[in-house]
Amino acid sequence: SQKKFLYFLLILKLIFIPSSAISKIVGDKIFIGTTFSLTGENSSASNSLKNKIDKLLKDINQSGGVNVGGKSYNFEIIFYDNESNSIKLNHLFERLVKYDGVQFLIVLEEINLSDKTQDTINDYDISVVTSNEALLIYKEAFEKVDSVNPKQIQDFLLKKLKN
């Protein structure tokens, strides 16, 4: 019957979803996704920013990470090289959300996301920080909310943005 077939499709979908897409926070790690132009015409500015984020990541994690509910979490960055290509950049943000299961993104202010990518970010209720200090902003959000709940983090960030 059609009902059994739909049930079968649902089971297949669950089996083939990468495990990282099911859990955005794994163990003591909070995953944040971004994309940089490590190659191509925008690579020099991006490499500088990536180095800054890497240093900040190391500093935060080495100083005890993010403290939430009496537990310490480390940030982990999942990033891809967009090769200074806006089509690839949008594809990679979609990949971070849909396949890597990232719920927290760093999107640089000068980046123009396609309508499709913006819709994906909205549909999946993804938190986006556009600052060069994104990791510090995320750290503050997790610690002030005292939760790793993605919706609560997003609400905090939206309130902070309005103020």
Side-chain angles (χ1 to χ4, degrees):
S1 76
Q2 188 175 8
K3 191 174 182 179
K4 283 184 180 178
F5 180 71
L6 291 174
Y7 183 72
F8 175 73
L9 287 178
L10 177 64
I11 296 296
L12 277 179
K13 185 174 181 179
L14 289 174
I15 290 171
F16 291 105
I17 291 175
S19 62
S20 60
I22 295 169
S23 56
K24 287 44 166 182
I25 296 162
V26 180
D28 65 348
K29 292 185 178 173
I30 298 170
F31 291 88
I32 298 174
T34 193
T35 173
F36 295 104
S37 298
L38 299 180
T39 57
E41 63 189 52
N42 304 324
S43 63
S44 58
S46 256
N47 277 304
S48 172
L49 180 59
K50 182 183 180 310
N51 290 337
K52 181 179 180 180
I53 288 176
D54 286 345
K55 182 185 179 332
L56 195 53
L57 176 73
K58 185 178 175 184
D59 291 348
I60 289 171
N61 288 343
Q62 285 183 345
S63 66
V66 181
N67 298 304
V68 177
K71 184 175 178 184
S72 184
Y73 293 86
N74 283 329
F75 283 140
E76 187 158 316
I77 305 284
I78 299 174
F79 71 88
Y80 296 108
D81 178 9
N82 61 47
E83 301 171 6
S84 301
N85 179 312
S86 64
I87 294 171
K88 186 164 188 164
L89 174 141
N90 280 282
H91 169 74
L92 291 171
F93 274 118
E94 296 253 341
R95 176 181 174 175
L96 283 162
V97 172
K98 291 181 177 179
Y99 300 102
D100 293 326
V102 172
Q103 292 228 288
F104 311 102
L105 292 175
I106 299 171
V107 179
L108 305 178
E109 288 180 19
E110 60 273 6
I111 290 176
N112 291 319
L113 295 176
S114 70
D115 289 343
K116 181 181 177 214
T117 301
Q118 288 178 12
D119 289 346
T120 297
I121 287 170
N122 292 334
D123 291 347
Y124 283 77
D125 284 330
I126 303 302
S127 294
V128 175
V129 176
T130 58
S131 168
N132 291 345
E133 303 295 322
L135 289 177
L136 292 175
I137 294 168
Y138 274 123
K139 180 177 177 10
E140 176 191 12
F142 281 102
E143 290 180 346
K144 286 206 172 163
V145 172
D146 200 29
S147 172
V148 292
N149 179 297
K151 184 67 178 141
Q152 291 177 315
I153 300 302
Q154 184 184 46
D155 290 345
F156 174 86
L157 292 170
L158 289 172
K159 284 179 192 162
K160 184 176 173 81
L161 188 64
K162 288 179 184 176
N163 294 336

